[in-house]
Amino acid sequence: MDYLDYVQMTKGQRFVYKVKSFFTGIPKALGNFFKAIGYFIKKFFLGIGNFLKNFGSRFAKGDAGTKLSYIIMGSGSMLHGQIVKGLIFLATEVAYIFFMCTFGAHYISRIYTSKLVLLDSDVDAHTGYYKYGTGAIGREVMMKEEGMFGTEVVNKNTMDDSNQILLFFILTILITIVFLAIYVANTKTAYNTQLLRAEGKKPLSFVQEMKTFLDDRFHITLLTFPILLLMMFTVLPIIFTIFMAFTNYDVDHQAPQKLYQWVGFTNFAEVFYSDAKKSATFGLILVWTLIWAFFATFSNFILGIIVALLINKKDIKFKGFWRTCFVITAAVPQFVTLLVMRLLLDDKSGALNQAFGTSFPFLTDWARVTVIIVNIWIGVPYTMLISSGLLMNIPEDLYESARIDGANAVQQFTKITFPYIFFVLTPYLIQTFVGNINNFNVIFFLTNGGPEDPTQYANKAGRTDLLVTWLYKLTKDQSDFRLAAVIGILIFIICAVGSLIAFNMSKASKNEEEFS
Amino acid sequence: MNKSSATEMKAGYAAKRRATNILVYVILSVMVVIWLFPILWLVLQSFNTVDRVSTHLFPDGFTLDHYKTLFTDPDVPYGTWIMNTFMVAVFSCIISTLFILMVSYALSRLRFKSRRKLLNMGLILGMFPGFMSMAATYAIMELLHMEGQLIGLIIVYSAGAGLGYQVAKGFFDTIPRSLDEAAQIDGATKNRIFWVIILPLSKPIVVYTALTTFLGPWADYIFVSYFMKTNEQNFTVALGLYKMLDNNHINRYFTTFCAGAVLIAVPITILFVIMQRFYVAGVTGGAVKG
């Protein structure tokens, strides 16, 4: 259908068309999404292929120094006249080999203890040491005591810490990745200086090279330290948690008192089907999380725009005063305002119910409504602030021409203001929606997920629990780390897929009907 | 159209406009009352003479005792909590601000091969729910013997700072590239451009970044509650105030909680009101440009 057909339609037809094209757009967006994934996979493997090709051809075309640097790092640089650089590369290699022998290999070997082993080397004259495990992370050393009535195996409590082994294993992998990057850089630089010398030029001296870190390679200087810390305290914990989802690390397998084991996809199966109550709980909480995210996002969005419009209306005075009143509520730290709200609304001891002598069940029977309304109270000032700025950006002549055409205030709002802000804020809306899926504060401080309902919910989940608050409770109160890890992964998948599809769709709709 | 009907129309239009204005004022007033009531209630209760949640909406009397209790009662060492939070906030503010500016400058104004990849990685890492890896971070800190310690808290807050580059990057993106190019022709290195040209131009974003990273530890409850466990002498303000409301304390310390909440909310509120325009610019910066 082209533009002319669209213009000729009546209002109703246009509405039907829009709704229809939204829903028919979903498969296309999904298709684009998978196409994008396919594209990235293809690019990834092409990238690997290219890399291997270059890696090999550098070796083939390299002189003795370059070839040698594939085995002894830095030898290429040294033979090509860059002594200090070569020594640094060599030192890196030595350090890595030393690290692997003393530290890395130990943890890699213990990441999966496959069978019961009796280590002869550990057998003592009087006591025998057994090391055992069945798919466990780490080893537990048992002592064999020869008594009068035979042999007894006792736990001597010399045991690995599964947490430590898993962590150091991941750390070893990360360090290996960094080392491989340095290794490749070593072969590249050896080849490049070889080419440079072949052209008759002199390679950079060490001091000159150091200076490039303040200029051409300044990004390395700026990024190295922040990225290393991110790897240590963000990437490492995330990988650790992902691995946890495939173990039985929970309250019965607490490190360091007990080892935990690899269990494959058992935990995922529990959440999806094999444990009826858990999977029902997950379903209920997921549905409520999505309902909550939808209402929390759009109620704030619409009300925030309306408040901003009211304040920014031409003849309204004291704009600064009105705005500041709302901003104050946003400015007070959320844990304070939300705790105040809980104290005001509590069913029995709440200030409102006590003052009026009632016992309205704000936080039990009506909890789901209450959290959405309190979220409006919390969130509207933010939306108001953001849309206030945008309202001033809307070109005034749009309104003027609308007024000349006889549009009233409501029409101006639905035809100009709302579409404009909606268009500009689509990325922000998607962000807020994803943010609301992870909105921890409102639920945690107001109801702590309650009211609890053990007949329908497993693991002490309650009717207002979101996936994130459930995750928090599982981690903090129940030490059910394996389940918490599964939930965390699922939240990530939901957020990632959701925002990718949404971005795809908003990109598509932008191309089709440009806002003018 | 004759003259009299025109003035009539004008008068009618003016009356209608006045009526809508009055309606708007009424709506705004009602909303402001609803929005400010809980905060007003908190402030009033902090001066109340009773200790527990009052059965009256408005205070029964006026006293400053609860503000004194905060600094004298050894059961609620408010001063210690403030000092703890302040220490953590200052150090993590300095380190985080530096990191955020470094990362966002590199990702915004320098061009290098892996730039796009890093941006995508940042996006993906940002999609993991923040406290999913709480237990793992705690295990790492345990191995470093820093669990429940303030220094551990500073490290965790600062180490994650590198991911918070979006707002500052949006700001750096708006500075014209011709500035860098001109400086480069004059022989300035990128290091020099960063310190001498870009940073002085970016005072607002430096202030914004410093303020947000400084305020973070004051408002964080989730991570710190898991991290500190029951190590009470290292509690931050948020943890301490939350503790005052548990079942063992609420009847004795409710009004003291109000006083403590007011005391930390006042400076934070003032800071936020000052920097609200940066906040808006930060969130919509990318959106407006499209």
Side-chain angles (χ1 to χ4, degrees), chain A residues 28-62:
Chain A
K28 200 174 149 196
L30 270 173
N32 282 342
F33 171 66
F34 287 116
K35 235 188 264 171
I37 289 182
Y39 173 74
F40 276 116
I41 292 174
K42 193 174 136 196
K43 223 174 123 184
F44 179 73
F45 282 107
L46 279 180
I48 288 183
N50 255 334
F51 166 77
L52 286 179
K53 205 176 88 193
N54 289 336
F55 189 74
S57 79
R58 278 202 299 273
F59 185 77
K61 289 186 212 150

Side-chain angles (χ1 to χ4, degrees), chain A residues 110 116-124 128-131 139 141:
Chain A
R110 298 209 167 186
L116 188 76
V117 256
L118 172 68
L119 289 183
D120 289 338
S121 57
D122 286 338
V123 174
D124 193 89
Y129 283 89
Y130 285 99
K131 307 205 169 187
R139 289 171 182 172
V141 180

Side-chain angles (χ1 to χ4, degrees), chain A residues 6-309:
Chain A
Y6 181 74
V7 174
Q8 282 167 353
M9 286 195 295
T10 65
K11 253 187 200 164
Q13 282 172 322
R14 277 185 201 182
F15 180 73
V16 171
Y17 170 72
K18 272 186 185 162
V19 171
K20 215 172 78 187
S21 63
F22 176 82
F23 284 106
T24 49
I26 290 178
K28 200 174 149 196
L30 270 173
N32 282 342
F33 171 66
F34 287 116
K35 235 188 264 171
I37 289 182
Y39 173 74
F40 276 116
I41 292 174
K42 193 174 136 196
K43 223 174 123 184
F44 179 73
F45 282 107
L46 279 180
I48 288 183
N50 255 334
F51 166 77
L52 286 179
K53 205 176 88 193
N54 289 336
F55 189 74
S57 79
R58 278 202 299 273
F59 185 77
K61 289 186 212 150
D63 60 8
T66 308
K67 281 193 169 116
L68 197 58
S69 68
Y70 274 71
I71 304 159
I72 302 168
M73 279 171 67
S75 50
S77 298
M78 279 189 270
L79 287 176
H80 295 147
Q82 295 179 305
I83 306 289
V84 184
K85 196 176 172 187
L87 284 177
I88 292 176
F89 277 129
L90 188 63
T92 319
E93 185 170 10
V94 172
Y96 178 74
I97 292 173
F98 181 74
F99 164 80
M100 280 310 280
C101 294
T102 56
F103 184 93
H106 174 77
Y107 290 102
I108 288 179
S109 71
R110 298 209 167 186
I111 195 65
Y112 187 87
T113 310
S114 56
K115 55 183 192 293
L116 188 76
V117 256
L118 172 68
L119 289 183
D120 289 338
S121 57
D122 286 338
V123 174
D124 193 89
H126 306 288
T127 56
Y129 283 89
Y130 285 99
K131 307 205 169 187
Y132 96 108
T134 43
I137 300 168
R139 289 171 182 172
E140 194 172 352
V141 180
M142 306 294 278
M143 197 172 69
K144 198 171 69 177
E145 271 187 5
E146 311 255 3
M148 254 195 291
F149 305 103
T151 322
E152 188 193 7
V153 176
V154 289
N155 190 340
K156 216 192 152 206
N157 209 16
T158 44
M159 184 196 301
D160 289 335
D161 178 342
S162 297
N163 265 348
Q164 190 185 358
I165 287 176
L166 194 51
L167 263 177
F168 285 153
F169 170 77
I170 301 166
L171 191 66
T172 308
I173 302 286
L174 288 179
I175 288 176
T176 305
I177 291 172
V178 172
F179 170 75
L180 284 179
I182 298 174
Y183 171 77
V184 173
N186 142 66
T187 65
K188 252 187 208 169
T189 181
Y191 184 63
N192 286 343
T193 41
Q194 176 200 333
L195 291 186
L196 219 63
R197 276 159 59 107
E199 281 174 35
K201 285 179 196 152
K202 213 172 165 265
L204 292 178
S205 76
F206 184 67
V207 178
Q208 282 170 325
E209 189 130 18
M210 279 294 112
K211 276 186 183 157
T212 64
F213 281 105
L214 292 179
D215 199 9
D216 287 334
R217 283 191 269 181
F218 190 41
H219 61 274
I220 298 181
T221 319
L222 287 178
L223 291 174
T224 306
F225 203 50
I227 287 183
L228 278 183
L229 275 175
L230 267 182
M231 278 173 89
M232 269 297 289
F233 293 100
T234 306
V235 177
L236 178 60
I238 286 178
I239 299 177
F240 185 20
T241 313
I242 292 173
F243 280 175
M244 256 185 220
F246 300 95
T247 69
N248 61 358
Y249 183 23
D250 57 19
V251 77
D252 300 324
H253 300 84
Q254 292 262 42
Q257 287 85 23
K258 277 202 162 159
L259 300 176
Y260 50 82
Q261 291 162 348
W262 295 106
V263 294
F265 283 90
T266 319
N267 298 319
F268 288 88
E270 255 179 35
V271 169
F272 285 124
Y273 56 89
S274 69
D275 184 323
K277 193 148 185 193
K278 257 181 208 165
S279 53
T281 309
F282 174 72
L284 285 169
I285 294 181
L286 175 64
V287 169
W288 162 241
T289 304
L290 294 177
I291 294 174
W292 150 266
F294 178 83
F295 279 106
T297 308
F298 286 95
S299 61
N300 273 352
F301 178 64
I302 292 167
L303 279 169
I305 290 176
I306 290 175
V307 172
L309 276 177

Side-chain angles (χ1 to χ4, degrees), chain A residues 214-215 317 329 354 377 472, chain B residues 25 35 55 190-191 225 276:
Chain A
L214 292 179
D215 199 9
K317 294 196 177 87
T329 47
Q354 285 202 27
W377 186 84
Y472 177 82
Chain B
Y25 280 124
W35 252 259
T55 45
K190 280 171 182 155
N191 176 42
S225 71
Q276 49 167 305

Side-chain angles (χ1 to χ4, degrees), chain A residues 230-499:
Chain A
L230 267 182
M231 278 173 89
M232 269 297 289
F233 293 100
T234 306
V235 177
L236 178 60
I238 286 178
I239 299 177
F240 185 20
T241 313
I242 292 173
F243 280 175
M244 256 185 220
F246 300 95
T247 69
N248 61 358
Y249 183 23
D250 57 19
V251 77
D252 300 324
H253 300 84
Q254 292 262 42
Q257 287 85 23
K258 277 202 162 159
L259 300 176
Y260 50 82
Q261 291 162 348
W262 295 106
V263 294
F265 283 90
T266 319
N267 298 319
F268 288 88
E270 255 179 35
V271 169
F272 285 124
Y273 56 89
S274 69
D275 184 323
K277 193 148 185 193
K278 257 181 208 165
S279 53
T281 309
F282 174 72
L284 285 169
I285 294 181
L286 175 64
V287 169
W288 162 241
T289 304
L290 294 177
I291 294 174
W292 150 266
F294 178 83
F295 279 106
T297 308
F298 286 95
S299 61
N300 273 352
F301 178 64
I302 292 167
L303 279 169
I305 290 176
I306 290 175
V307 172
L309 276 177
L310 289 180
I311 292 177
N312 289 320
K313 196 169 178 304
K314 237 190 211 146
D315 311 316
I316 297 297
K317 294 196 177 87
F318 319 117
K319 289 188 168 42
F321 165 76
W322 299 116
R323 201 171 299 146
T324 311
C325 285
F326 285 103
V327 169
I328 285 175
T329 47
V332 179
Q334 275 194 9
F335 76 90
V336 171
T337 44
L338 286 166
L339 285 175
V340 166
M341 276 300 190
R342 191 183 81 193
L343 292 164
L344 277 170
L345 296 174
D346 197 86
D347 295 1
K348 287 189 203 82
S349 60
L352 280 185
N353 273 331
Q354 285 202 27
F356 296 110
T358 52
S359 57
F360 188 80
F362 285 113
L363 298 182
T364 47
D365 296 352
W366 285 81
R368 285 186 168 185
V369 180
T370 309
V371 288
I372 287 177
I373 290 175
V374 171
N375 187 60
I376 291 176
W377 186 84
I378 289 279
V380 158
Y382 288 100
T383 329
M384 186 271 300
L385 267 180
I386 291 158
S387 44
S388 277
L390 291 176
L391 288 174
M392 290 167 199
N393 284 346
I394 303 179
E396 186 54 32
D397 48 341
L398 276 180
Y399 288 108
E400 244 160 59
S401 51
R403 268 195 294 272
I404 291 169
D405 290 342
N408 61 29
V410 176
Q411 282 170 328
Q412 284 175 32
F413 176 74
T414 54
K415 290 283 143 83
I416 301 173
T417 314
F418 192 76
Y420 180 85
I421 292 194
F422 193 74
F423 182 79
V424 174
L425 284 188
T426 316
Y428 170 75
L429 267 180
I430 296 166
Q431 248 178 339
T432 344
F433 189 85
V434 172
N436 272 324
I437 290 181
N438 288 320
N439 192 337
F440 178 86
N441 283 353
V442 175
I443 305 285
F444 177 77
F445 286 115
L446 272 184
T447 63
N448 195 11
E452 277 181 21
D453 183 358
T455 55
Q456 283 189 51
Y457 291 84
N459 289 68
K460 292 190 180 155
R463 259 183 283 156
T464 51
D465 255 328
L466 303 178
L467 287 174
V468 272
T469 55
W470 195 35
L471 186 158
Y472 177 82
K473 283 194 204 165
L474 286 173
T475 312
K476 182 153 190 271
D477 305 337
Q478 304 168 28
S479 300
D480 201 340
F481 303 107
R482 60 190 181 104
L483 192 56
V486 173
I487 303 293
I489 293 173
L490 293 177
I491 296 175
F492 166 74
I493 292 174
I494 293 167
C495 291
V497 172
S499 38

